[in-house]
């Protein structure tokens, strides 16, 4: 049975490919499992149109939790999830587009072939850009990144898209890394070695998992992997979340 | 020196390096901080700009081949354009460029050039750090081993590497001598010894004449491109081929990640087969399936018989090389009193069997073949730094190769033979070869070949003003003088007129003193940066852990404060501190993190107190 995180993720993917009904279905399932999950609630409001999109604005604060005795002034915690983190991005801090195109198969940001003959419909890029901004504001950096990639496939020089690309990447890397805990800690296999082959991994995850031998730290794995940092962080966070490593 | 000052012996190998010492009279290998006795002689700059040394560098050597330097030993002290460097350029995946003066070599790693001694220095520094972790204090004195055939330039390059790594190299000794020292430790041997050294990347055969306190290398031979890596490659090729057959032609050679895993697995299986008859090679999710199908696994059993079949020609080659070396030295197999096995590959039963058959005797295996050279170096360091009269063998510093000049016909005439103890001074008389010859060119050479061109040119000068006479009548005295520091002075004098000319030759690795200073300063900066990065990473991890703990406690703190008048202000401050700590992590600001560290700890204590108080302490009187 899918977890809340998986349902959330599937919903985001459905939403970004334009299938709002499917997205709503996934998020409803997630809400059934975790009725208090504010993120799911915010997504549902978004997809149901209860929350008109306001480009560039942070997501609305969820309603404060009911309290029996609201005697004192509300604590900042009562506001629920904080607003979107401000990410300061220096030049050159983003994904190396060429490197990703050549070496990563997670997503090819800039195809090495010429853009397809089909040009986007007029205004389509602007719509995608707006979608990327909204998803970013909602804190859905993966979704925003997918939109950005779509734009860069047809217009690799799109300045705003490239700026968002860097912001999304920096934010996602920070998110995944925070899930890993201290980067100096040494991950270990949490399952029997014989069970590894029953997992559903791709060969990059297989490579990274093969490096986990109880002697190398997460920091070392970033240096060893040969993949862009985002890809490495995402794979490791996923292996950790699935209980493959600990 | 201080009686307790630690010292080390280092086997700086082409493929792997080992560090050892002597404790209470017993030589022993120092394990690395991760528990391994071998440190790969590999240095890399990873894609994220991190310098990697040893095992870490080796583990990404294929996926990041163009930024990973291995086998630097093949290049140290060599000249740009020499046949050895040209050969190396064909086989090494990293880029080599000429040095600033065009006569030595630099390696390009991560967009930066490294002098070859700098690369070896990183390996030495790693071993030094392991030794310091073992002793719990600074280590500065070392004996380092080099192949017997290394010339002065290569030896100087090794010394330079030691200096860059912060080591005082008290002596450079020959590897086969070091191995023999380790075997003869505590014994008195007088015999001819064959040292068969099959390492990771090179094969060296040395014949030593060992007497009381004398270790004379009388012949060396080998193949600088034959070693354990060739055996690994055979296993890899076998795996790649069988995998392609099984999986519709998937060519693993196109996938660097797969090749990295294959190489590691092949080496592991080969080592395992020295002890067992069968090894399992299991690599899940090795490669993408064809046509976008799920990733596929590799599962094979490698038997010892199969490994021997795959590598038979390599084993045969080692015996051929050993045989040729004996013949060149004019030594019969029957004259060999001891055969010593050195290098990891000699643990392979088939290699031992071949050596046994060829030499007609059981090879000595009393000392671990991968550790024996380092142990010998440690024994020598101990003898040099803690001499005990009559108890230990003290090797004298000797000239590694013949020194001499070029003579008519392009031949090499030796003035100071190999293995002469330094300091020394020797002279030879030469004559003119032409009638009315008033000048002569003196080309100073070092090497073992009769042909001048096959030896290393150390320097040259012209002596003119000679008396005009018939050929053969003018006598020129050529004198070589080698100081205790290895500086060679060569002078030529016309016996009749007294005209004199001279040159001083100092062994050089190609690094100038100014460059050496720059490298030492850069290393200092690098160490400081690494220290700061290390400090930052440690504090970042700790800060994240404290923030996580505070956030974990926060719901219970809020719950407890909801019914209290107190603590609200402190909690707001705590939130502010958490916010600033997060900000410091995001910005990578070490100073800001240090500034909030104490406040963050106080906030955590406050939260713990509030939660603990709510659970067990007195309630708010209101």
């Amino acid at each position: 049975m899918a977890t809340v995180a998986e349902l959330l993720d599937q919903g985001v993917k459905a939403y970004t490919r334009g299938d709002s009904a499917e997205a709503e279905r996934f998020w409803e399932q997630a809400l059934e499992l975790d009725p208090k999950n504010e993120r799911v609630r915010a997504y549902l409001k978004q997809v149901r149109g209860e929350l008109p999109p306001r480009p560039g604005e942070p997501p609305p604060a969820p309603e404060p939790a009911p309290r029996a005795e609201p005697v004192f002034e509300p604590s900042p915690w009562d506001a629920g999830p904080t607003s979107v983190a401000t990410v300061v991005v220096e030049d050159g801090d983003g994904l190396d587009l060429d490197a990703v195109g050549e070496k990563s198969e997670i997503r090819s940001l800039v195809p090495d072939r010429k853009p397809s003959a089909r040009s986007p419909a007029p205004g389509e890029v602007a719509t995608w850009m707006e979608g990327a901004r909204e998803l970013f504001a909602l804190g859905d950096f993966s979704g925003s990144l997918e939109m950005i990639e779509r734009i860069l496939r047809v217009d690799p020089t799109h300045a705003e898209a490239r700026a968002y690309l860097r912001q999304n990447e920096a934010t996602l890397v920070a998110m995944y890394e925070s899930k890993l805990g201290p980067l100096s800690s040494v991950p270990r296999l949490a399952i029997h070695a014989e069970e590894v082959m029953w997992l559903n991994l791709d060969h990059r995850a297989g490579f990274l998992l093969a490096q986990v031998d109880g002697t190398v730290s997460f920091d070392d794995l970033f240096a060893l992997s040969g993949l862009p940092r985002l890809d490495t962080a995402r794979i490791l966070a996923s292996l950790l979340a699935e209980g493959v490593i600990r | 020196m201080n009686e307790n000052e630690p010292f080390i012996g280092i086997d700086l190998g082409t493929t792997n390096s080992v560090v050892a010492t002597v404790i209470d009279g017993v030589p022993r290998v120092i394990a690395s901080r991760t528990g391994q006795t071998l440190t790969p002689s590999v240095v890399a700059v990873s894609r994220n700009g991190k310098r990697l040394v040893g095992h870490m560098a080796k583990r990404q050597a294929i996926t990041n081949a163009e930024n990973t330097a291995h086998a630097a030993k093949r290049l140290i002290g060599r000249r740009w354009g020499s046949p050895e460097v040209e050969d190396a350029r064909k086989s090494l995946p990293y880029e080599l460029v000429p040095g600033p003066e065009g006569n030595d070599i630099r390696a390009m790693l991560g967009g930066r050039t490294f002098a070859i001694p700098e690369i070896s220095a990183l390996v030495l520094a790693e071993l030094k750090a392991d030794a310091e972790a073992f002793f719990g204090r600074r280590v500065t004195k070392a004996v380092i081993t080099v192949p017997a055939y290394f010339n002065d330039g290569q030896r100087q390059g090794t010394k330079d590497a030691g200096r860059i790594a912060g080591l005082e190299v008290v002596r450079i000794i020959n590897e086969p001598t070091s191995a023999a020292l380790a075997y003869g430790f505590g014994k008195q041997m007088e015999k001819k010894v064959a040292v068969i050294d099959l390492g990771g990347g090179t094969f060296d055969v040395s014949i030593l004449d060992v007497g009381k306190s004398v270790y004379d290398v009388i012949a060396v031979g080998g193949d600088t491109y034959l070693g354990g890596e060739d055996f690994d490659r055979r296993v890899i090729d076998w795996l790649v081929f069988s995998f392609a057959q099984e999986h519709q032609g998937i060519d693993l050679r196109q996938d660097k990640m797969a090749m990295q895993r294959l190489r590691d697995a092949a080496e592991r299986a080969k080592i395992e087969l020295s002890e067992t008859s069968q090894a399992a090679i299991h690599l899940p999710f090795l490669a993408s399936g064809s046509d976008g199908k799920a990733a596929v696994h590799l599962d094979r059993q490698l038997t010892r018989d199969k490994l021997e079949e795959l590598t038979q020609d390599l084993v045969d080659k080692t015996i051929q090389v050993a045989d040729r070396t004996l013949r060149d030295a004019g030594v019969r197999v029957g004259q060999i009193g001891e055969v010593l096995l050195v290098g990891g590959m000699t643990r392979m039963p088939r290699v031992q069997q071949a050596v046994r058959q060829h030499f007609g005797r059981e090879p000595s295996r009393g000392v671990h073949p991968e550790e024996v050279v380092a142990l010998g170096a440690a024994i020598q360091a101990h003898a040099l730094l803690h001499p005990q009269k009559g108890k230990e063998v003290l090797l004298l510093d000797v000239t590694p190769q013949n020194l001499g000049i070029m003579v008519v016909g392009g031949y090499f005439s030796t003035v100071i033979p190999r293995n002469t103890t330094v300091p020394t001074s020797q002279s030879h008389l030469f004559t003119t070869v032409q009638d009315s010859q008033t000048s002569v060119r003196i080309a100073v050479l070092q090497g073992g070949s009769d042909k001048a061109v096959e030896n290393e040119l150390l320097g040259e000068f012209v002596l003119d003003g000679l008396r005009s006479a018939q050929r053969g009548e003018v006598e020129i005295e050529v004198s070589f003088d080698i100081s205790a520091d290895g500086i060679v002075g060569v002078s030529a004098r016309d016996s009749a007129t007294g005209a004199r000319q001279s040159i001083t030759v100092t062994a050089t690795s190609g690094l100038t003193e100014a460059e050496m200073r720059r490298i030492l300063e850069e290393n200092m900066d690098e160490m400081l940066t690494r220290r700061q990065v290390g400090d930052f990473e440690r504090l970042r991890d700790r800060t994240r852990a404290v923030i996580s703990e505070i956030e974990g406690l926060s719901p219970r703190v809020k719950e407890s404060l909801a019914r209290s008048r107190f603590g609200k202000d402190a909690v707001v401050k705590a939130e502010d501190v958490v916010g600033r700590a997060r900000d410091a992590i995001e910005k990578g600001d070490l100073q800001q993190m240090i500034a909030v560290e104490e406040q963050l700890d106080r906030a955590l204590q406050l939260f713990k107190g509030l939660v603990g108080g709510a659970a067990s302490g007195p309630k708010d009187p209101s």
Side-chain angles (χ1 to χ4, degrees):
Chain A
M1 188 173 164
T3 64
V4 174
E6 285 165 349
L7 289 166
L8 257 174
D9 189 50
Q10 285 168 327
V12 167
K13 283 188 177 132
Y15 184 73
T16 53
R17 68 173 177 262
D19 191 345
S20 300
E22 182 81 347
E24 189 175 2
R25 198 173 59 76
F26 279 122
W27 291 337
E28 277 173 350
Q29 286 176 31
L31 196 66
E32 275 173 32
L33 289 175
D34 184 4
K36 289 182 180 168
N37 191 311
E38 295 300 340
R39 195 173 169 204
V40 180
R41 285 172 180 276
Y43 282 0
L44 278 170
K45 281 184 180 176
Q46 171 81 29
V47 75
R48 287 169 182 161
E50 294 167 15
L51 189 73
R54 284 173 296 175
E57 284 196 5
E63 290 166 13
R67 288 181 299 170
E69 297 173 70
V71 182
F72 304 108
E73 291 198 1
S75 156
W77 279 306
D78 293 338
T82 53
S83 57
V84 179
T86 307
V87 180
V88 181
V89 181
E90 305 274 334
D91 274 352
D93 267 357
L95 272 180
D96 178 349
L97 296 180
D98 293 336
V100 171
E102 281 171 24
K103 291 154 193 146
S104 166
E105 289 167 22
I106 277 194
R107 46 167 59 93
S108 89
L109 292 175
V110 178
D112 48 10
R113 57 185 182 279
K114 298 263 184 236
S116 64
R118 190 194 80 85
S119 300
E124 206 170 356
V125 167
T127 308
W128 291 343
M129 193 63 240
E130 194 174 310
R133 281 189 220 108
E134 285 163 16
L135 287 167
F136 185 88
L138 273 170
D140 178 4
F141 308 108
S142 300
S144 178
L145 193 57
E146 284 190 28
M147 288 285 186
I148 293 297
E149 286 162 11
R150 227 185 263 187
I151 297 165
L152 290 174
R153 261 180 229 124
V154 294
D155 182 5
T157 59
H158 196 291
E160 190 184 2
R162 291 181 76 98
Y164 264 84
L165 174 79
R166 293 200 187 99
Q167 293 208 4
N168 279 311
E169 198 250 357
T171 312
L172 282 169
V173 166
M175 271 172 49
Y176 288 126
E177 283 185 4
S178 71
K179 287 179 184 171
L180 299 178
L183 297 184
S184 55
S185 61
V186 176
R188 287 181 170 76
L189 205 58
I191 58 176
H192 290 293
E194 307 82 60
E195 292 170 341
V196 168
M197 65 182 296
W198 302 113
L199 300 170
N200 181 20
L201 303 179
D202 69 7
H203 72 291
R204 288 160 301 109
F207 175 79
L208 273 178
L209 192 57
Q211 307 307 312
V212 175
D213 62 357
T215 67
V216 295
S217 65
F218 283 117
D219 253 340
D220 295 334
L221 286 168
F222 280 107
L224 284 179
S225 83
L227 293 168
R229 195 166 183 95
L230 173 58
D231 293 1
T232 307
R234 191 200 313 260
I235 291 170
L236 289 174
S238 163
L239 290 172
L240 196 67
E242 287 167 18
V244 179
I245 58 174
R246 59 184 154 83
Chain B
M1 72 174 265
N2 179 340
E3 185 65 22
N4 296 318
E5 188 177 342
F7 57 85
I8 49 178
I10 293 176
D11 170 10
L12 182 61
T14 307
T15 313
N16 291 301
S17 296
V18 183
V19 57
T21 190
V22 175
I23 292 179
D24 297 330
V26 180
R28 57 172 291 182
V29 164
I30 298 172
S32 72
R33 284 153 289 169
T34 50
Q36 286 125 323
T37 52
L38 296 186
T39 296
S41 308
V42 186
V43 170
V45 177
S46 72
R47 289 197 202 286
N48 60 3
K50 202 171 171 181
R51 269 191 207 178
L52 305 174
V53 182
H55 288 281
M56 287 292 292
K58 185 180 174 185
R59 287 173 71 157
Q60 51 89 75
I62 292 179
T63 56
N64 184 27
E66 61 277 21
N67 294 308
T68 303
H70 69 277
K73 192 174 170 180
R74 294 194 208 281
L75 304 168
I76 202 161
R78 300 273 191 199
R79 286 172 193 268
W80 179 257
S82 66
E84 294 84 0
V85 172
E86 289 308 303
D87 283 349
R89 285 179 72 194
K90 284 177 206 151
S91 66
L92 296 175
Y94 54 97
E95 189 186 355
L96 297 178
V97 294
E101 290 177 23
N103 58 359
D104 71 327
I105 312 149
R106 304 294 148 103
M108 288 287 292
L109 302 178
R112 209 209 109 167
T113 57
F114 287 80
I116 305 303
E118 247 185 305
I119 293 172
S120 297
L122 289 167
V123 177
L124 290 174
E126 189 75 6
L127 298 171
K128 179 177 183 270
D130 287 335
E132 287 175 343
F134 173 80
F135 286 111
R137 59 208 157 112
R138 264 186 98 207
V139 175
T140 58
K141 289 189 166 54
V143 167
I144 302 179
T145 62
V146 296
Y149 56 79
F150 259 27
N151 63 27
D152 277 336
Q154 291 167 296
R155 284 162 201 263
Q156 187 58 45
T158 308
K159 276 187 185 172
D160 287 349
R163 191 173 151 205
I164 295 168
L167 286 169
E168 181 195 335
V169 182
V170 291
R171 187 67 57 90
I172 293 276
I173 64 170
N174 290 331
E175 285 162 7
T177 305
S178 190
L181 259 181
Y183 270 100
F185 184 61
K187 302 174 196 165
Q188 286 293 330
M189 309 197 295
E190 282 189 53
K191 52 181 91 169
K192 279 196 171 52
V193 176
V195 179
I196 308 294
D197 184 351
L198 186 57
T202 58
F203 176 50
D204 296 321
V205 181
S206 314
I207 312 297
L208 272 68
D209 215 343
V210 179
K212 283 178 185 166
S213 304
V214 179
Y215 287 71
D216 189 5
V217 182
I218 56 173
V220 289
D223 185 335
T224 48
Y225 287 90
L226 173 63
E229 286 171 356
D230 298 291
F231 288 69
D232 297 346
R233 215 165 290 129
R234 295 293 169 86
V235 177
I236 293 168
D237 289 346
W238 175 69
L239 290 170
V240 165
F241 183 70
S242 54
F243 190 84
Q245 281 185 319
E246 243 177 79
H247 296 282
Q248 293 81 46
I250 294 179
D251 185 359
L252 293 173
R253 289 170 302 183
Q254 307 303 318
D255 183 342
K256 286 181 176 180
M257 284 188 191
M259 288 305 283
Q260 180 74 55
R261 291 177 70 188
L262 275 183
R263 196 184 84 164
D264 297 345
E267 187 184 5
R268 264 200 309 275
K270 178 193 74 179
I271 292 169
E272 203 179 322
L273 287 174
S274 291
E275 306 294 330
T276 62
S277 59
Q278 190 158 303
I281 300 172
H282 175 59
L283 299 171
F285 307 102
L286 181 65
S288 309
S290 50
D291 302 329
K293 287 180 193 155
V296 282
H297 315 309
L298 180 147
D299 245 319
R300 299 284 291 180
Q301 295 288 328
L302 178 63
T303 62
R304 186 186 283 181
D305 289 345
K306 186 69 190 173
L307 176 66
E308 290 178 358
E309 179 196 320
L310 293 170
T311 59
Q312 184 58 48
D313 61 317
L314 299 175
V315 176
D316 291 345
K317 202 171 170 186
T318 60
I319 297 304
Q320 286 159 14
V321 171
D323 189 44
R324 195 170 59 234
T325 307
L326 281 174
R327 272 191 281 115
D328 289 350
V331 175
R332 293 190 313 278
V333 164
Q335 292 176 282
I336 299 291
E338 199 85 51
V339 179
L340 309 185
L341 294 182
V342 177
M345 264 323 297
T346 61
R347 286 163 65 191
M348 184 177 178
R350 183 72 194 86
V351 172
Q352 291 178 1
Q353 187 194 2
V355 170
R356 193 183 304 120
Q357 278 171 359
H358 183 73
F359 286 91
R361 62 168 48 247
E362 195 66 38
S364 298
R365 282 179 292 174
V367 185
H368 195 299
E370 281 155 321
E371 300 173 354
V372 62
V373 173
L375 291 171
I379 290 165
Q380 185 58 193
H382 187 249
L384 282 165
L385 300 168
H386 302 288
Q388 289 175 290
K389 212 172 177 184
K391 276 201 163 181
E392 288 171 318
V393 178
L394 184 61
L395 295 176
L396 301 171
D397 227 349
V398 295
T399 52
Q401 292 180 350
N402 298 331
L403 277 163
I405 63 168
M406 183 170 77
V407 293
V408 66
Y411 290 103
F412 175 55
S413 174
T414 299
V415 178
I416 296 183
R418 172 175 54 84
N419 280 335
T420 302
T421 308
V422 295
T424 185
S425 178
Q426 292 189 31
S427 300
H428 273 212
L429 277 181
F430 296 88
T431 60
T432 50
V433 292
Q434 287 176 338
D435 293 343
S436 306
Q437 182 181 347
T438 57
S439 65
V440 63
R441 177 171 165 246
I442 308 284
V444 182
L445 302 164
Q446 180 179 40
S449 172
D450 288 342
K451 291 180 188 160
V453 72
E454 290 177 1
N455 296 305
E456 185 88 2
L457 177 68
L458 300 180
E460 56 187 331
F461 61 93
V462 173
L463 175 67
D464 49 21
L466 301 177
R467 176 172 62 94
S468 182
Q470 298 234 313
R471 64 176 175 176
E473 284 187 0
V474 178
E475 285 189 339
I476 298 149
E477 186 185 43
V478 176
S479 302
F480 274 63
D481 185 71
I482 309 177
S483 73
D485 300 328
I487 297 166
V488 182
V490 183
S491 66
R493 192 174 69 91
D494 179 347
S495 309
T497 66
R500 190 176 180 278
Q501 194 59 261
S502 65
I503 189 175
T504 300
V505 182
T506 309
T508 172
S509 65
L511 275 184
T512 63
E513 191 54 34
E515 273 190 292
M516 178 69 101
R517 267 202 306 277
R518 177 188 59 76
I519 290 169
L520 288 170
E521 281 166 13
E522 276 180 12
N523 276 3
M524 193 68 80
D525 292 345
E526 170 77 14
M527 272 167 62
L528 286 173
T529 308
R530 280 175 74 164
R531 174 73 191 265
Q532 279 176 350
V533 170
D535 284 350
F536 172 78
E537 286 174 351
R538 271 190 297 280
L539 193 54
R540 176 199 60 197
D541 291 348
R542 186 176 177 280
T543 305
R544 276 184 177 162
V546 175
I547 290 174
S548 166
E549 213 174 335
I550 289 174
E551 288 181 344
L553 291 169
S554 69
R556 292 164 67 194
V557 169
K558 278 193 291 179
E559 196 183 336
S560 97
L561 290 181
R563 289 176 296 278
S564 167
R565 287 174 203 274
F566 303 104
K568 191 81 186 162
D569 193 35
V571 169
V572 172
K573 280 184 188 166
E575 288 162 7
D576 176 55
V577 173
V578 167
R580 277 187 286 137
R582 278 191 186 287
D583 187 46
I585 290 174
E586 274 182 31
K587 286 182 188 159
D589 186 340
L590 177 63
Q591 294 311 317
Q592 191 180 334
M593 251 194 314
I594 292 170
V596 297
E597 187 184 11
E598 197 184 327
Q599 297 169 53
L600 205 59
D601 283 341
R602 277 208 301 271
L604 178 61
Q605 292 313 314
L606 171 74
F607 274 33
K608 281 182 175 170
L610 285 169
V611 170
S616 58
K619 300 286 179 205
D620 178 7
S622 66

Short mmCIF file of all heavy atoms in Angstrom, two decimals, chain A residues 170-190:
data_model
loop_
_atom_site.label_atom_id
_atom_site.label_comp_id
_atom_site.label_asym_id
_atom_site.label_seq_id
_atom_site.Cartn_x
_atom_site.Cartn_y
_atom_site.Cartn_z
N ALA A 170 18.93 24.04 -5.90
CA ALA A 170 19.53 24.31 -4.60
C ALA A 170 18.57 23.91 -3.48
O ALA A 170 18.97 23.30 -2.48
CB ALA A 170 19.89 25.79 -4.49
N THR A 171 17.31 24.22 -3.68
CA THR A 171 16.33 23.92 -2.64
C THR A 171 16.15 22.41 -2.49
O THR A 171 16.11 21.88 -1.38
CB THR A 171 14.98 24.57 -2.98
OG1 THR A 171 15.22 25.92 -3.35
CG2 THR A 171 14.03 24.52 -1.81
N LEU A 172 16.04 21.73 -3.66
CA LEU A 172 15.84 20.28 -3.60
C LEU A 172 17.05 19.58 -2.97
O LEU A 172 16.88 18.67 -2.15
CB LEU A 172 15.60 19.73 -5.01
CG LEU A 172 14.19 19.95 -5.55
CD1 LEU A 172 14.13 19.63 -7.03
CD2 LEU A 172 13.18 19.11 -4.79
N VAL A 173 18.23 20.03 -3.36
CA VAL A 173 19.43 19.41 -2.78
C VAL A 173 19.40 19.59 -1.26
O VAL A 173 19.62 18.64 -0.51
CB VAL A 173 20.72 20.02 -3.39
CG1 VAL A 173 21.94 19.64 -2.55
CG2 VAL A 173 20.92 19.53 -4.81
N ALA A 174 19.07 20.81 -0.82
CA ALA A 174 19.01 21.07 0.62
C ALA A 174 17.96 20.18 1.29
O ALA A 174 18.19 19.63 2.37
CB ALA A 174 18.71 22.54 0.87
N MET A 175 16.82 20.03 0.61
CA MET A 175 15.75 19.19 1.17
C MET A 175 16.19 17.74 1.31
O MET A 175 16.03 17.12 2.36
CB MET A 175 14.53 19.23 0.25
CG MET A 175 13.56 20.35 0.55
SD MET A 175 12.30 20.44 -0.73
CE MET A 175 11.74 18.77 -0.87
N TYR A 176 16.74 17.21 0.22
CA TYR A 176 17.16 15.80 0.26
C TYR A 176 18.28 15.59 1.27
O TYR A 176 18.29 14.60 2.00
CB TYR A 176 17.60 15.33 -1.13
CG TYR A 176 16.45 15.17 -2.10
CD1 TYR A 176 16.47 15.81 -3.34
CD2 TYR A 176 15.35 14.38 -1.79
CE1 TYR A 176 15.42 15.67 -4.23
CE2 TYR A 176 14.29 14.24 -2.67
CZ TYR A 176 14.33 14.89 -3.90
OH TYR A 176 13.29 14.76 -4.76
N GLU A 177 19.21 16.54 1.30
CA GLU A 177 20.33 16.39 2.23
C GLU A 177 19.85 16.43 3.67
O GLU A 177 20.36 15.71 4.52
CB GLU A 177 21.37 17.47 1.99
CG GLU A 177 22.21 17.18 0.77
CD GLU A 177 23.35 18.18 0.58
OE1 GLU A 177 23.52 19.05 1.44
OE2 GLU A 177 24.03 18.07 -0.44
N SER A 178 18.85 17.28 3.93
CA SER A 178 18.36 17.35 5.31
C SER A 178 17.71 16.02 5.71
O SER A 178 17.71 15.65 6.87
CB SER A 178 17.40 18.51 5.47
OG SER A 178 16.19 18.22 4.82
N LYS A 179 17.18 15.30 4.72
CA LYS A 179 16.59 13.99 5.03
C LYS A 179 17.66 12.96 5.37
O LYS A 179 17.39 11.98 6.05
CB LYS A 179 15.76 13.49 3.84
CG LYS A 179 14.46 14.25 3.68
CD LYS A 179 13.69 13.75 2.50
CE LYS A 179 12.45 14.61 2.32
NZ LYS A 179 11.74 14.33 1.09
N LEU A 180 18.85 13.19 4.83
CA LEU A 180 19.93 12.22 5.06
C LEU A 180 20.51 12.35 6.47
O LEU A 180 21.15 11.43 6.97
CB LEU A 180 21.06 12.43 4.04
CG LEU A 180 20.70 12.25 2.57
CD1 LEU A 180 21.91 12.53 1.69
CD2 LEU A 180 20.18 10.84 2.31
N GLY A 181 20.30 13.51 7.10
CA GLY A 181 20.92 13.74 8.41
C GLY A 181 22.34 14.23 8.21
O GLY A 181 22.71 14.68 7.13
N PRO A 182 23.18 14.09 9.26
CA PRO A 182 24.56 14.58 9.14
C PRO A 182 25.27 13.91 7.96
O PRO A 182 25.26 12.68 7.84
CB PRO A 182 25.21 14.15 10.46
CG PRO A 182 24.08 13.92 11.39
CD PRO A 182 22.91 13.49 10.57
N LEU A 183 25.86 14.72 7.10
CA LEU A 183 26.50 14.14 5.91
C LEU A 183 27.78 13.39 6.26
O LEU A 183 28.29 12.61 5.45
CB LEU A 183 26.79 15.24 4.88
CG LEU A 183 25.56 15.94 4.33
CD1 LEU A 183 25.97 16.93 3.25
CD2 LEU A 183 24.55 14.96 3.78
N SER A 184 28.27 13.61 7.47
CA SER A 184 29.47 12.87 7.87
C SER A 184 29.12 11.47 8.39
O SER A 184 30.00 10.66 8.63
CB SER A 184 30.21 13.64 8.96
OG SER A 184 29.33 13.91 10.02
N SER A 185 27.82 11.21 8.57
CA SER A 185 27.46 9.88 9.08
C SER A 185 27.61 8.82 8.00
O SER A 185 27.55 9.11 6.81
CB SER A 185 26.04 9.89 9.65
OG SER A 185 25.14 10.21 8.63
N VAL A 186 27.82 7.61 8.46
CA VAL A 186 28.12 6.51 7.54
C VAL A 186 26.88 5.63 7.37
O VAL A 186 26.44 4.98 8.32
CB VAL A 186 29.29 5.67 8.09
CG1 VAL A 186 29.55 4.45 7.20
CG2 VAL A 186 30.54 6.53 8.20
N PRO A 187 26.30 5.62 6.17
CA PRO A 187 25.11 4.78 5.98
C PRO A 187 25.49 3.29 5.87
O PRO A 187 26.61 2.97 5.47
CB PRO A 187 24.55 5.28 4.65
CG PRO A 187 25.71 5.84 3.92
CD PRO A 187 26.66 6.36 4.95
N ARG A 188 24.54 2.47 6.25
CA ARG A 188 24.76 1.02 6.16
C ARG A 188 23.54 0.38 5.52
O ARG A 188 22.45 0.94 5.56
CB ARG A 188 24.98 0.43 7.55
CG ARG A 188 26.33 0.80 8.10
CD ARG A 188 26.58 0.20 9.47
NE ARG A 188 27.97 0.39 9.84
CZ ARG A 188 28.50 1.53 10.24
NH1 ARG A 188 27.74 2.62 10.34
NH2 ARG A 188 29.78 1.63 10.54
N LEU A 189 23.75 -0.80 4.97
CA LEU A 189 22.64 -1.53 4.36
C LEU A 189 21.69 -1.94 5.48
O LEU A 189 22.13 -2.50 6.50
CB LEU A 189 23.21 -2.75 3.64
CG LEU A 189 22.40 -3.32 2.49
CD1 LEU A 189 22.16 -2.27 1.42
CD2 LEU A 189 23.13 -4.52 1.89
N ALA A 190 20.40 -1.67 5.31
CA ALA A 190 19.43 -2.00 6.36
C ALA A 190 18.72 -3.31 6.06
O ALA A 190 17.89 -3.76 6.84
CB ALA A 190 18.41 -0.86 6.49
#
